[in-house]
Amino acid sequence: MVPVPVDIAAQLLSRRSSNDPETLGVLLAGLRRSLAHEAIDDELYDDLEAVLGEHAHPAPYDIAVIAGRFREATTTLVEIVPHLVSPYPIDEIRRLIHVSAEHPRPEGAHGHLRRFALAVLALLDLMGDDGS
């Protein structure tokens, strides 16, 4: 955070603001995009590539680590999707929460991780440009 001198802060606060629907719509879109960028980072996309990519075959240790990061992403996605997707994607959210709650045996971990990645990707696709 950069400190703002008092005189500049006073000048900025004294400016008139616009509250017309067009300006507020642009502001809302910018805030939603900012929210998505804070929640969805390159690491999430790297994890999706590691699981769903053409040459994907994560090692058992990587499966556990990626599943943990997907669980963290689930919490974030459940919080931000209502602000970014309309109508609310009930089926996709349910699927993501359900897969997130699963803890499969080691022999089923790879398939579970693929289902988990697909559930995350489905929500990212619904978010469209706001999620990139």
PDB file of all heavy atoms in Angstrom, residues 84-120:
ATOM      1  N   LEU A  84     -20.465 -13.618  -9.598  1.00  0.00           N
ATOM      2  CA  LEU A  84     -19.947 -13.584 -10.960  1.00  0.00           C
ATOM      3  C   LEU A  84     -20.789 -14.342 -11.977  1.00  0.00           C
ATOM      4  O   LEU A  84     -20.617 -14.143 -13.175  1.00  0.00           O
ATOM      5  CB  LEU A  84     -18.517 -14.153 -10.976  1.00  0.00           C
ATOM      6  CG  LEU A  84     -17.504 -13.415 -10.109  1.00  0.00           C
ATOM      7  CD1 LEU A  84     -16.204 -14.190 -10.039  1.00  0.00           C
ATOM      8  CD2 LEU A  84     -17.264 -12.023 -10.640  1.00  0.00           C
ATOM      9  N   VAL A  85     -21.635 -15.249 -11.524  1.00  0.00           N
ATOM     10  CA  VAL A  85     -22.398 -16.091 -12.445  1.00  0.00           C
ATOM     11  C   VAL A  85     -23.884 -15.953 -12.145  1.00  0.00           C
ATOM     12  O   VAL A  85     -24.314 -16.090 -11.005  1.00  0.00           O
ATOM     13  CB  VAL A  85     -21.978 -17.577 -12.314  1.00  0.00           C
ATOM     14  CG1 VAL A  85     -22.799 -18.448 -13.247  1.00  0.00           C
ATOM     15  CG2 VAL A  85     -20.497 -17.750 -12.589  1.00  0.00           C
ATOM     16  N   SER A  86     -24.642 -15.665 -13.192  1.00  0.00           N
ATOM     17  CA  SER A  86     -26.079 -15.572 -13.056  1.00  0.00           C
ATOM     18  C   SER A  86     -26.714 -16.282 -14.236  1.00  0.00           C
ATOM     19  O   SER A  86     -26.292 -16.050 -15.378  1.00  0.00           O
ATOM     20  CB  SER A  86     -26.498 -14.107 -13.028  1.00  0.00           C
ATOM     21  OG  SER A  86     -27.868 -13.998 -12.827  1.00  0.00           O
ATOM     22  N   PRO A  87     -27.659 -17.147 -14.026  1.00  0.00           N
ATOM     23  CA  PRO A  87     -28.229 -17.586 -12.765  1.00  0.00           C
ATOM     24  C   PRO A  87     -27.240 -18.467 -11.994  1.00  0.00           C
ATOM     25  O   PRO A  87     -26.306 -19.023 -12.564  1.00  0.00           O
ATOM     26  CB  PRO A  87     -29.478 -18.372 -13.169  1.00  0.00           C
ATOM     27  CG  PRO A  87     -29.168 -18.894 -14.525  1.00  0.00           C
ATOM     28  CD  PRO A  87     -28.280 -17.849 -15.173  1.00  0.00           C
ATOM     29  N   TYR A  88     -27.480 -18.569 -10.709  1.00  0.00           N
ATOM     30  CA  TYR A  88     -26.604 -19.324  -9.822  1.00  0.00           C
ATOM     31  C   TYR A  88     -26.516 -20.775 -10.295  1.00  0.00           C
ATOM     32  O   TYR A  88     -27.539 -21.437 -10.480  1.00  0.00           O
ATOM     33  CB  TYR A  88     -27.146 -19.258  -8.399  1.00  0.00           C
ATOM     34  CG  TYR A  88     -26.242 -19.882  -7.374  1.00  0.00           C
ATOM     35  CD1 TYR A  88     -25.094 -19.230  -6.955  1.00  0.00           C
ATOM     36  CD2 TYR A  88     -26.542 -21.114  -6.817  1.00  0.00           C
ATOM     37  CE1 TYR A  88     -24.256 -19.791  -5.997  1.00  0.00           C
ATOM     38  CE2 TYR A  88     -25.715 -21.681  -5.862  1.00  0.00           C
ATOM     39  CZ  TYR A  88     -24.580 -21.013  -5.461  1.00  0.00           C
ATOM     40  OH  TYR A  88     -23.763 -21.571  -4.522  1.00  0.00           O
ATOM     41  N   PRO A  89     -25.307 -21.281 -10.511  1.00  0.00           N
ATOM     42  CA  PRO A  89     -25.119 -22.646 -11.048  1.00  0.00           C
ATOM     43  C   PRO A  89     -25.234 -23.718  -9.957  1.00  0.00           C
ATOM     44  O   PRO A  89     -24.240 -24.270  -9.484  1.00  0.00           O
ATOM     45  CB  PRO A  89     -23.713 -22.586 -11.635  1.00  0.00           C
ATOM     46  CG  PRO A  89     -23.003 -21.590 -10.779  1.00  0.00           C
ATOM     47  CD  PRO A  89     -24.038 -20.568 -10.399  1.00  0.00           C
ATOM     48  N   ILE A  90     -26.464 -24.028  -9.571  1.00  0.00           N
ATOM     49  CA  ILE A  90     -26.716 -24.939  -8.453  1.00  0.00           C
ATOM     50  C   ILE A  90     -26.066 -26.303  -8.677  1.00  0.00           C
ATOM     51  O   ILE A  90     -25.387 -26.827  -7.784  1.00  0.00           O
ATOM     52  CB  ILE A  90     -28.232 -25.098  -8.220  1.00  0.00           C
ATOM     53  CG1 ILE A  90     -28.829 -23.771  -7.784  1.00  0.00           C
ATOM     54  CG2 ILE A  90     -28.517 -26.189  -7.191  1.00  0.00           C
ATOM     55  CD1 ILE A  90     -30.334 -23.752  -7.756  1.00  0.00           C
ATOM     56  N   ASP A  91     -26.285 -26.895  -9.838  1.00  0.00           N
ATOM     57  CA  ASP A  91     -25.752 -28.241 -10.085  1.00  0.00           C
ATOM     58  C   ASP A  91     -24.232 -28.270 -10.030  1.00  0.00           C
ATOM     59  O   ASP A  91     -23.639 -29.183  -9.453  1.00  0.00           O
ATOM     60  CB  ASP A  91     -26.233 -28.775 -11.434  1.00  0.00           C
ATOM     61  CG  ASP A  91     -27.735 -29.023 -11.451  1.00  0.00           C
ATOM     62  OD1 ASP A  91     -28.320 -29.224 -10.362  1.00  0.00           O
ATOM     63  OD2 ASP A  91     -28.324 -28.996 -12.547  1.00  0.00           O
ATOM     64  N   GLU A  92     -23.597 -27.284 -10.623  1.00  0.00           N
ATOM     65  CA  GLU A  92     -22.135 -27.245 -10.648  1.00  0.00           C
ATOM     66  C   GLU A  92     -21.555 -27.033  -9.249  1.00  0.00           C
ATOM     67  O   GLU A  92     -20.558 -27.650  -8.882  1.00  0.00           O
ATOM     68  CB  GLU A  92     -21.639 -26.158 -11.600  1.00  0.00           C
ATOM     69  CG  GLU A  92     -21.870 -26.461 -13.065  1.00  0.00           C
ATOM     70  CD  GLU A  92     -23.280 -26.129 -13.554  1.00  0.00           C
ATOM     71  OE1 GLU A  92     -24.132 -25.692 -12.746  1.00  0.00           O
ATOM     72  OE2 GLU A  92     -23.534 -26.327 -14.756  1.00  0.00           O
ATOM     73  N   ILE A  93     -22.182 -26.164  -8.470  1.00  0.00           N
ATOM     74  CA  ILE A  93     -21.719 -25.931  -7.092  1.00  0.00           C
ATOM     75  C   ILE A  93     -21.898 -27.197  -6.261  1.00  0.00           C
ATOM     76  O   ILE A  93     -21.001 -27.594  -5.505  1.00  0.00           O
ATOM     77  CB  ILE A  93     -22.458 -24.735  -6.449  1.00  0.00           C
ATOM     78  CG1 ILE A  93     -22.029 -23.427  -7.102  1.00  0.00           C
ATOM     79  CG2 ILE A  93     -22.234 -24.694  -4.946  1.00  0.00           C
ATOM     80  CD1 ILE A  93     -20.615 -22.988  -6.760  1.00  0.00           C
ATOM     81  N   ARG A  94     -23.050 -27.835  -6.384  1.00  0.00           N
ATOM     82  CA  ARG A  94     -23.283 -29.094  -5.645  1.00  0.00           C
ATOM     83  C   ARG A  94     -22.239 -30.138  -5.999  1.00  0.00           C
ATOM     84  O   ARG A  94     -21.707 -30.823  -5.123  1.00  0.00           O
ATOM     85  CB  ARG A  94     -24.672 -29.641  -5.957  1.00  0.00           C
ATOM     86  CG  ARG A  94     -25.754 -29.014  -5.168  1.00  0.00           C
ATOM     87  CD  ARG A  94     -27.043 -29.776  -5.391  1.00  0.00           C
ATOM     88  NE  ARG A  94     -28.135 -29.042  -4.781  1.00  0.00           N
ATOM     89  CZ  ARG A  94     -29.382 -29.104  -5.196  1.00  0.00           C
ATOM     90  NH1 ARG A  94     -29.698 -29.854  -6.222  1.00  0.00           N
ATOM     91  NH2 ARG A  94     -30.318 -28.411  -4.584  1.00  0.00           N
ATOM     92  N   ARG A  95     -21.984 -30.277  -7.294  1.00  0.00           N
ATOM     93  CA  ARG A  95     -21.008 -31.272  -7.741  1.00  0.00           C
ATOM     94  C   ARG A  95     -19.629 -30.963  -7.152  1.00  0.00           C
ATOM     95  O   ARG A  95     -18.949 -31.858  -6.648  1.00  0.00           O
ATOM     96  CB  ARG A  95     -20.943 -31.293  -9.270  1.00  0.00           C
ATOM     97  CG  ARG A  95     -20.043 -32.395  -9.820  1.00  0.00           C
ATOM     98  CD  ARG A  95     -20.086 -32.491 -11.356  1.00  0.00           C
ATOM     99  NE  ARG A  95     -21.437 -32.536 -11.872  1.00  0.00           N
ATOM    100  CZ  ARG A  95     -22.001 -31.576 -12.605  1.00  0.00           C
ATOM    101  NH1 ARG A  95     -21.326 -30.499 -12.917  1.00  0.00           N
ATOM    102  NH2 ARG A  95     -23.230 -31.686 -13.038  1.00  0.00           N
ATOM    103  N   LEU A  96     -19.226 -29.706  -7.189  1.00  0.00           N
ATOM    104  CA  LEU A  96     -17.919 -29.329  -6.653  1.00  0.00           C
ATOM    105  C   LEU A  96     -17.842 -29.593  -5.151  1.00  0.00           C
ATOM    106  O   LEU A  96     -16.859 -30.166  -4.663  1.00  0.00           O
ATOM    107  CB  LEU A  96     -17.624 -27.859  -6.937  1.00  0.00           C
ATOM    108  CG  LEU A  96     -16.279 -27.348  -6.438  1.00  0.00           C
ATOM    109  CD1 LEU A  96     -15.121 -28.074  -7.115  1.00  0.00           C
ATOM    110  CD2 LEU A  96     -16.165 -25.854  -6.647  1.00  0.00           C
ATOM    111  N   ILE A  97     -18.864 -29.227  -4.413  1.00  0.00           N
ATOM    112  CA  ILE A  97     -18.864 -29.453  -2.965  1.00  0.00           C
ATOM    113  C   ILE A  97     -18.846 -30.947  -2.655  1.00  0.00           C
ATOM    114  O   ILE A  97     -18.120 -31.402  -1.768  1.00  0.00           O
ATOM    115  CB  ILE A  97     -20.077 -28.751  -2.305  1.00  0.00           C
ATOM    116  CG1 ILE A  97     -19.894 -27.234  -2.388  1.00  0.00           C
ATOM    117  CG2 ILE A  97     -20.254 -29.206  -0.861  1.00  0.00           C
ATOM    118  CD1 ILE A  97     -21.117 -26.446  -1.976  1.00  0.00           C
ATOM    119  N   HIS A  98     -19.629 -31.714  -3.392  1.00  0.00           N
ATOM    120  CA  HIS A  98     -19.675 -33.163  -3.176  1.00  0.00           C
ATOM    121  C   HIS A  98     -18.306 -33.805  -3.433  1.00  0.00           C
ATOM    122  O   HIS A  98     -17.815 -34.586  -2.614  1.00  0.00           O
ATOM    123  CB  HIS A  98     -20.741 -33.797  -4.079  1.00  0.00           C
ATOM    124  CG  HIS A  98     -20.822 -35.269  -3.953  1.00  0.00           C
ATOM    125  ND1 HIS A  98     -21.401 -35.895  -2.874  1.00  0.00           N
ATOM    126  CD2 HIS A  98     -20.365 -36.256  -4.767  1.00  0.00           C
ATOM    127  CE1 HIS A  98     -21.308 -37.202  -3.031  1.00  0.00           C
ATOM    128  NE2 HIS A  98     -20.685 -37.439  -4.168  1.00  0.00           N
ATOM    129  N   VAL A  99     -17.689 -33.463  -4.550  1.00  0.00           N
ATOM    130  CA  VAL A  99     -16.379 -34.038  -4.877  1.00  0.00           C
ATOM    131  C   VAL A  99     -15.332 -33.574  -3.871  1.00  0.00           C
ATOM    132  O   VAL A  99     -14.451 -34.343  -3.471  1.00  0.00           O
ATOM    133  CB  VAL A  99     -15.960 -33.676  -6.319  1.00  0.00           C
ATOM    134  CG1 VAL A  99     -14.549 -34.132  -6.624  1.00  0.00           C
ATOM    135  CG2 VAL A  99     -16.916 -34.292  -7.314  1.00  0.00           C
ATOM    136  N   SER A 100     -15.436 -32.342  -3.419  1.00  0.00           N
ATOM    137  CA  SER A 100     -14.493 -31.809  -2.441  1.00  0.00           C
ATOM    138  C   SER A 100     -14.554 -32.564  -1.122  1.00  0.00           C
ATOM    139  O   SER A 100     -13.543 -32.725  -0.436  1.00  0.00           O
ATOM    140  CB  SER A 100     -14.781 -30.327  -2.202  1.00  0.00           C
ATOM    141  OG  SER A 100     -13.962 -29.818  -1.191  1.00  0.00           O
ATOM    142  N   ALA A 101     -15.744 -33.035  -0.760  1.00  0.00           N
ATOM    143  CA  ALA A 101     -15.926 -33.741   0.513  1.00  0.00           C
ATOM    144  C   ALA A 101     -15.447 -35.186   0.460  1.00  0.00           C
ATOM    145  O   ALA A 101     -15.269 -35.815   1.500  1.00  0.00           O
ATOM    146  CB  ALA A 101     -17.394 -33.696   0.915  1.00  0.00           C
ATOM    147  N   GLU A 102     -15.234 -35.718  -0.733  1.00  0.00           N
ATOM    148  CA  GLU A 102     -14.779 -37.107  -0.867  1.00  0.00           C
ATOM    149  C   GLU A 102     -13.305 -37.232  -0.497  1.00  0.00           C
ATOM    150  O   GLU A 102     -12.513 -36.343  -0.784  1.00  0.00           O
ATOM    151  CB  GLU A 102     -14.958 -37.590  -2.313  1.00  0.00           C
ATOM    152  CG  GLU A 102     -16.385 -37.719  -2.750  1.00  0.00           C
ATOM    153  CD  GLU A 102     -16.491 -38.125  -4.211  1.00  0.00           C
ATOM    154  OE1 GLU A 102     -15.448 -38.277  -4.890  1.00  0.00           O
ATOM    155  OE2 GLU A 102     -17.620 -38.285  -4.689  1.00  0.00           O
ATOM    156  N   HIS A 103     -12.980 -38.339   0.114  1.00  0.00           N
ATOM    157  CA  HIS A 103     -11.585 -38.675   0.429  1.00  0.00           C
ATOM    158  C   HIS A 103     -11.386 -40.139   0.048  1.00  0.00           C
ATOM    159  O   HIS A 103     -11.542 -41.040   0.882  1.00  0.00           O
ATOM    160  CB  HIS A 103     -11.277 -38.439   1.911  1.00  0.00           C
ATOM    161  CG  HIS A 103     -11.349 -37.001   2.293  1.00  0.00           C
ATOM    162  ND1 HIS A 103     -10.301 -36.137   2.099  1.00  0.00           N
ATOM    163  CD2 HIS A 103     -12.361 -36.264   2.821  1.00  0.00           C
ATOM    164  CE1 HIS A 103     -10.648 -34.928   2.509  1.00  0.00           C
ATOM    165  NE2 HIS A 103     -11.897 -34.981   2.941  1.00  0.00           N
ATOM    166  N   PRO A 104     -11.062 -40.379  -1.215  1.00  0.00           N
ATOM    167  CA  PRO A 104     -11.000 -41.758  -1.705  1.00  0.00           C
ATOM    168  C   PRO A 104      -9.777 -42.518  -1.191  1.00  0.00           C
ATOM    169  O   PRO A 104      -8.817 -41.932  -0.700  1.00  0.00           O
ATOM    170  CB  PRO A 104     -10.903 -41.572  -3.229  1.00  0.00           C
ATOM    171  CG  PRO A 104     -10.203 -40.270  -3.372  1.00  0.00           C
ATOM    172  CD  PRO A 104     -10.696 -39.424  -2.236  1.00  0.00           C
ATOM    173  N   ARG A 105      -9.857 -43.817  -1.350  1.00  0.00           N
ATOM    174  CA  ARG A 105      -8.703 -44.661  -1.041  1.00  0.00           C
ATOM    175  C   ARG A 105      -7.624 -44.386  -2.084  1.00  0.00           C
ATOM    176  O   ARG A 105      -7.907 -43.861  -3.158  1.00  0.00           O
ATOM    177  CB  ARG A 105      -9.106 -46.127  -1.096  1.00  0.00           C
ATOM    178  CG  ARG A 105     -10.104 -46.480  -0.033  1.00  0.00           C
ATOM    179  CD  ARG A 105     -10.497 -47.919  -0.160  1.00  0.00           C
ATOM    180  NE  ARG A 105     -11.522 -48.202   0.819  1.00  0.00           N
ATOM    181  CZ  ARG A 105     -11.711 -49.376   1.339  1.00  0.00           C
ATOM    182  NH1 ARG A 105     -10.964 -50.394   0.961  1.00  0.00           N
ATOM    183  NH2 ARG A 105     -12.664 -49.555   2.221  1.00  0.00           N
ATOM    184  N   PRO A 106      -6.386 -44.741  -1.770  1.00  0.00           N
ATOM    185  CA  PRO A 106      -5.282 -44.453  -2.701  1.00  0.00           C
ATOM    186  C   PRO A 106      -5.513 -44.980  -4.120  1.00  0.00           C
ATOM    187  O   PRO A 106      -5.162 -44.315  -5.095  1.00  0.00           O
ATOM    188  CB  PRO A 106      -4.079 -45.128  -2.045  1.00  0.00           C
ATOM    189  CG  PRO A 106      -4.395 -45.108  -0.585  1.00  0.00           C
ATOM    190  CD  PRO A 106      -5.895 -45.303  -0.496  1.00  0.00           C
ATOM    191  N   GLU A 107      -6.132 -46.143  -4.253  1.00  0.00           N
ATOM    192  CA  GLU A 107      -6.330 -46.688  -5.606  1.00  0.00           C
ATOM    193  C   GLU A 107      -7.367 -45.901  -6.410  1.00  0.00           C
ATOM    194  O   GLU A 107      -7.392 -45.986  -7.638  1.00  0.00           O
ATOM    195  CB  GLU A 107      -6.710 -48.182  -5.555  1.00  0.00           C
ATOM    196  CG  GLU A 107      -7.992 -48.477  -4.824  1.00  0.00           C
ATOM    197  CD  GLU A 107      -7.819 -48.724  -3.323  1.00  0.00           C
ATOM    198  OE1 GLU A 107      -6.727 -48.471  -2.771  1.00  0.00           O
ATOM    199  OE2 GLU A 107      -8.799 -49.152  -2.703  1.00  0.00           O
ATOM    200  N   GLY A 108      -8.201 -45.127  -5.746  1.00  0.00           N
ATOM    201  CA  GLY A 108      -9.185 -44.313  -6.458  1.00  0.00           C
ATOM    202  C   GLY A 108      -8.843 -42.835  -6.498  1.00  0.00           C
ATOM    203  O   GLY A 108      -9.620 -42.025  -7.000  1.00  0.00           O
ATOM    204  N   ALA A 109      -7.669 -42.470  -6.000  1.00  0.00           N
ATOM    205  CA  ALA A 109      -7.305 -41.059  -5.877  1.00  0.00           C
ATOM    206  C   ALA A 109      -7.151 -40.370  -7.228  1.00  0.00           C
ATOM    207  O   ALA A 109      -7.548 -39.215  -7.390  1.00  0.00           O
ATOM    208  CB  ALA A 109      -6.028 -40.920  -5.055  1.00  0.00           C
ATOM    209  N   HIS A 110      -6.572 -41.050  -8.203  1.00  0.00           N
ATOM    210  CA  HIS A 110      -6.344 -40.406  -9.500  1.00  0.00           C
ATOM    211  C   HIS A 110      -7.671 -40.082 -10.190  1.00  0.00           C
ATOM    212  O   HIS A 110      -7.862 -38.971 -10.700  1.00  0.00           O
ATOM    213  CB  HIS A 110      -5.464 -41.283 -10.397  1.00  0.00           C
ATOM    214  CG  HIS A 110      -5.036 -40.584 -11.634  1.00  0.00           C
ATOM    215  ND1 HIS A 110      -5.702 -40.730 -12.833  1.00  0.00           N
ATOM    216  CD2 HIS A 110      -4.035 -39.707 -11.867  1.00  0.00           C
ATOM    217  CE1 HIS A 110      -5.126 -39.985 -13.754  1.00  0.00           C
ATOM    218  NE2 HIS A 110      -4.107 -39.345 -13.197  1.00  0.00           N
ATOM    219  N   GLY A 111      -8.607 -41.012 -10.192  1.00  0.00           N
ATOM    220  CA  GLY A 111      -9.919 -40.765 -10.794  1.00  0.00           C
ATOM    221  C   GLY A 111     -10.671 -39.662 -10.063  1.00  0.00           C
ATOM    222  O   GLY A 111     -11.317 -38.820 -10.685  1.00  0.00           O
ATOM    223  N   HIS A 112     -10.565 -39.671  -8.744  1.00  0.00           N
ATOM    224  CA  HIS A 112     -11.197 -38.619  -7.945  1.00  0.00           C
ATOM    225  C   HIS A 112     -10.620 -37.255  -8.296  1.00  0.00           C
ATOM    226  O   HIS A 112     -11.360 -36.284  -8.456  1.00  0.00           O
ATOM    227  CB  HIS A 112     -10.998 -38.911  -6.449  1.00  0.00           C
ATOM    228  CG  HIS A 112     -11.397 -37.778  -5.576  1.00  0.00           C
ATOM    229  ND1 HIS A 112     -10.487 -36.897  -5.047  1.00  0.00           N
ATOM    230  CD2 HIS A 112     -12.612 -37.349  -5.159  1.00  0.00           C
ATOM    231  CE1 HIS A 112     -11.129 -35.987  -4.330  1.00  0.00           C
ATOM    232  NE2 HIS A 112     -12.407 -36.238  -4.381  1.00  0.00           N
ATOM    233  N   LEU A 113      -9.302 -37.184  -8.426  1.00  0.00           N
ATOM    234  CA  LEU A 113      -8.670 -35.909  -8.748  1.00  0.00           C
ATOM    235  C   LEU A 113      -9.116 -35.397 -10.110  1.00  0.00           C
ATOM    236  O   LEU A 113      -9.349 -34.201 -10.293  1.00  0.00           O
ATOM    237  CB  LEU A 113      -7.146 -36.040  -8.689  1.00  0.00           C
ATOM    238  CG  LEU A 113      -6.374 -34.729  -8.769  1.00  0.00           C
ATOM    239  CD1 LEU A 113      -6.685 -33.839  -7.569  1.00  0.00           C
ATOM    240  CD2 LEU A 113      -4.884 -34.992  -8.848  1.00  0.00           C
ATOM    241  N   ARG A 114      -9.294 -36.298 -11.070  1.00  0.00           N
ATOM    242  CA  ARG A 114      -9.789 -35.891 -12.393  1.00  0.00           C
ATOM    243  C   ARG A 114     -11.215 -35.334 -12.288  1.00  0.00           C
ATOM    244  O   ARG A 114     -11.540 -34.307 -12.880  1.00  0.00           O
ATOM    245  CB  ARG A 114      -9.728 -37.049 -13.384  1.00  0.00           C
ATOM    246  CG  ARG A 114      -8.313 -37.368 -13.828  1.00  0.00           C
ATOM    247  CD  ARG A 114      -8.262 -38.427 -14.933  1.00  0.00           C
ATOM    248  NE  ARG A 114      -9.064 -38.111 -16.093  1.00  0.00           N
ATOM    249  CZ  ARG A 114      -8.721 -37.262 -17.066  1.00  0.00           C
ATOM    250  NH1 ARG A 114      -7.564 -36.634 -17.002  1.00  0.00           N
ATOM    251  NH2 ARG A 114      -9.511 -37.058 -18.090  1.00  0.00           N
ATOM    252  N   ARG A 115     -12.071 -36.017 -11.527  1.00  0.00           N
ATOM    253  CA  ARG A 115     -13.446 -35.513 -11.341  1.00  0.00           C
ATOM    254  C   ARG A 115     -13.436 -34.161 -10.639  1.00  0.00           C
ATOM    255  O   ARG A 115     -14.208 -33.263 -10.982  1.00  0.00           O
ATOM    256  CB  ARG A 115     -14.281 -36.524 -10.534  1.00  0.00           C
ATOM    257  CG  ARG A 115     -14.648 -37.766 -11.310  1.00  0.00           C
ATOM    258  CD  ARG A 115     -15.691 -38.618 -10.588  1.00  0.00           C
ATOM    259  NE  ARG A 115     -15.357 -38.923  -9.204  1.00  0.00           N
ATOM    260  CZ  ARG A 115     -14.525 -39.896  -8.807  1.00  0.00           C
ATOM    261  NH1 ARG A 115     -13.932 -40.646  -9.709  1.00  0.00           N
ATOM    262  NH2 ARG A 115     -14.298 -40.110  -7.521  1.00  0.00           N
ATOM    263  N   PHE A 116     -12.539 -34.015  -9.674  1.00  0.00           N
ATOM    264  CA  PHE A 116     -12.405 -32.767  -8.929  1.00  0.00           C
ATOM    265  C   PHE A 116     -11.985 -31.646  -9.878  1.00  0.00           C
ATOM    266  O   PHE A 116     -12.558 -30.561  -9.884  1.00  0.00           O
ATOM    267  CB  PHE A 116     -11.367 -32.964  -7.826  1.00  0.00           C
ATOM    268  CG  PHE A 116     -11.531 -32.083  -6.616  1.00  0.00           C
ATOM    269  CD1 PHE A 116     -10.875 -32.417  -5.447  1.00  0.00           C
ATOM    270  CD2 PHE A 116     -12.307 -30.942  -6.620  1.00  0.00           C
ATOM    271  CE1 PHE A 116     -10.995 -31.637  -4.316  1.00  0.00           C
ATOM    272  CE2 PHE A 116     -12.437 -30.149  -5.493  1.00  0.00           C
ATOM    273  CZ  PHE A 116     -11.779 -30.498  -4.333  1.00  0.00           C
ATOM    274  N   ALA A 117     -10.982 -31.920 -10.705  1.00  0.00           N
ATOM    275  CA  ALA A 117     -10.494 -30.923 -11.661  1.00  0.00           C
ATOM    276  C   ALA A 117     -11.595 -30.530 -12.647  1.00  0.00           C
ATOM    277  O   ALA A 117     -11.751 -29.349 -12.982  1.00  0.00           O
ATOM    278  CB  ALA A 117      -9.273 -31.460 -12.399  1.00  0.00           C
ATOM    279  N   LEU A 118     -12.371 -31.502 -13.105  1.00  0.00           N
ATOM    280  CA  LEU A 118     -13.455 -31.197 -14.040  1.00  0.00           C
ATOM    281  C   LEU A 118     -14.540 -30.343 -13.383  1.00  0.00           C
ATOM    282  O   LEU A 118     -15.113 -29.460 -14.031  1.00  0.00           O
ATOM    283  CB  LEU A 118     -14.044 -32.495 -14.602  1.00  0.00           C
ATOM    284  CG  LEU A 118     -13.131 -33.246 -15.573  1.00  0.00           C
ATOM    285  CD1 LEU A 118     -13.687 -34.642 -15.861  1.00  0.00           C
ATOM    286  CD2 LEU A 118     -12.938 -32.462 -16.854  1.00  0.00           C
ATOM    287  N   ALA A 119     -14.810 -30.577 -12.105  1.00  0.00           N
ATOM    288  CA  ALA A 119     -15.801 -29.773 -11.395  1.00  0.00           C
ATOM    289  C   ALA A 119     -15.313 -28.328 -11.232  1.00  0.00           C
ATOM    290  O   ALA A 119     -16.085 -27.380 -11.401  1.00  0.00           O
ATOM    291  CB  ALA A 119     -16.104 -30.398 -10.031  1.00  0.00           C
ATOM    292  N   VAL A 120     -14.034 -28.162 -10.918  1.00  0.00           N
ATOM    293  CA  VAL A 120     -13.453 -26.813 -10.814  1.00  0.00           C
ATOM    294  C   VAL A 120     -13.507 -26.130 -12.177  1.00  0.00           C
ATOM    295  O   VAL A 120     -13.927 -24.978 -12.297  1.00  0.00           O
ATOM    296  CB  VAL A 120     -11.997 -26.878 -10.288  1.00  0.00           C
ATOM    297  CG1 VAL A 120     -11.313 -25.519 -10.426  1.00  0.00           C
ATOM    298  CG2 VAL A 120     -11.965 -27.350  -8.839  1.00  0.00           C
TER     299      VAL A 120
END
